[in-house]
Amino acid sequence: MNSTIEELKNRFEQALIAAFGQDLAGTDPMLVPASNPKFGDYQSNAALSLTKKLGKPPRAIAEQIIQNLDIADICQPPQIAGPGFINLTIQPAYLEGQLSQIQTNSRLGVPTAKHLQRVVIDFSSPNIAKEMHVGHLRSTIIGDSIARILEFQGYDVLRLNHVGDWGTQFGMLIVHLLEAEPVSDYDLLDLGDLVQFYREAKKRFDSDEDFKERSRKAVVALQSGDQEAQIAWKILCDKSRREFQIIYDLLDVRLIERGESFYNPLLPLVVEDLEKLGLVVENAGAKCIFLEGFTNKEGQPLPLIVQKSDGGYNYATTDLASLRYRIQEDGAKRIIYVTDAGQANHFSQFFQVARKAGWIPDDVAVVHVPFGLVQGEDGKKLKTRSGETVRLRDLLDEAIARARTDLENRLKEEGRQETAEFIANVAQVVGIGAVKYADLSQNRTSNYIFSYDRMLNLQGNTAPYMLYAYVRIQGISRKGGIDFEHLDPDAKIILAEETELVLAKHILQLSEVISQVEVDLLPNRLCQYLFELSQKFNQFYDRCPVLKAEKNQQTSRLVLCDLTAKTIKLGLSLLGIPVLERM
Ligand code: ARG
């Protein structure tokens, strides 16, 4: 099923051809949702944009388009406004028909995307032996939502965790580990707090020249496949991996780990190929690539270093190798990197190098999806009360604990009794959902202030508000003894009241929103859509009796309720948030 806007676009294209000839085939009808409901639902600016080409006044062009426009089954007669806008208002009968169609459709009428290719999403990607921080939390939440949306559209999504599991920092960690425990005892080894372990190693590295030298040797040993070094490295990775997994389980996020070490054997060839292409310039022993548009404050060119003077490779070299691998071996047609905006330069640099090298075919898109910082309520970097970095696990546990307190207070006020299992489940879904939703509902490019109070508020654009809207609708079915699963599939939908029409139109816009997110990768659009949906639902529910309505109207309104609930459930699932039947 085409979305309404798609269908209208098709009809406009036909009208343009009928009015002005084949020349205009493929012309963009410039159809957008109306800026104000008083202008109707959609507006086309085609007449204005064609004035020059056709050499006629826009109103005359608009007249001619309308004469050839066959949309009587969808819209009321089109209106020309202002200098030549064409305003369209959707007919209730059309909306009724569309709603009937999606009533029994598990995708709620959302079509799959047109060209179903492989998409790689590189997200989360924390660093081994370091704490996963809020930046990684954002990447995990945003990346997962984008993955869910593209998967829902039918794309073959490869969710890659590009963990930082390679590099010179492993030298000091390995030496610190080897000197603490004999290799034979590794099975029993408890590294305690890995972050503490990292700090200790770093301290020795910075203060002890001898240790530093041993660390350097350990890096070489690791890279040449030395068994002891390899075992130590694996231990460190395993231990980190288990820590990360706790967070992924809590967030219900799936990832395939393919860390930096995976591409290690491919790095020499990357540099060799770049050299063959004549892109590499040696500078004080380092292999550099100079690029347009990258200079330091003094205006000196800032090169991308692909191999250091000691022979070591860089973050960017690995990214170049992984880019090639993803295109050649994984067959990716779109590669999406979700990281903090601070890495924007890194991405535009290595994209530029890959382009110069001819490694990005025309049919492959590479995109950096940047996001802003998470700040504390003081507007500064998020810290604990004692001034330390916030551990993700503590942050998520705190959200769950607060959701539980809110719930227990509410239960007391309402005099309700619930089982311990119920309370634990609601607290978990609300707590985690609130953290995710708070992150996703902001335009990702801006910074946002982390506030438990705001994200757990039952009012406003929050997860609890959305979950509650869903629960409220399930309450209607319980109260009326109605099984939403068995509403008459042939029930006639009647849209008589203004609030019913407004709600119906909104429900039918889901596929437009999803195809927008497919393009601009901004999940906050979906949050905004869902928020407006529940507001429109509440307005409808305030004005229109449902259970007390007469029979036909009752069934029709129940279908509206059910479709609203299903849309919320589907929308939230695309944000990685499950619904609750009661809360
Ligand atoms: N490990 C990096 C970090 O913590 C993120 C990696 C992002 N992905 C990539 N292909 N560079 O900042």
Side-chain angles (χ1 to χ4, degrees), residues 307-337:
Q307 191 168 16
K308 293 182 281 192
S309 54
D310 67 1
Y313 299 99
N314 277 336
Y315 184 47
T317 326
T318 305
D319 262 328
L320 286 165
S322 61
L323 181 75
R324 290 217 290 192
Y325 191 91
R326 290 164 184 182
I327 294 173
Q328 289 166 7
E329 305 300 320
D330 296 325
K333 293 292 176 208
R334 194 179 189 195
I335 307 177
I336 296 169
Y337 300 84

Side-chain angles (χ1 to χ4, degrees), residues 334-338 347 351 355 365-370 519 521:
R334 194 179 189 195
I335 307 177
I336 296 169
Y337 300 84
V338 189
F347 284 99
F351 288 170
R355 261 203 198 95
V366 293
V367 226
H368 178 218
V369 167
V519 175
L521 308 174

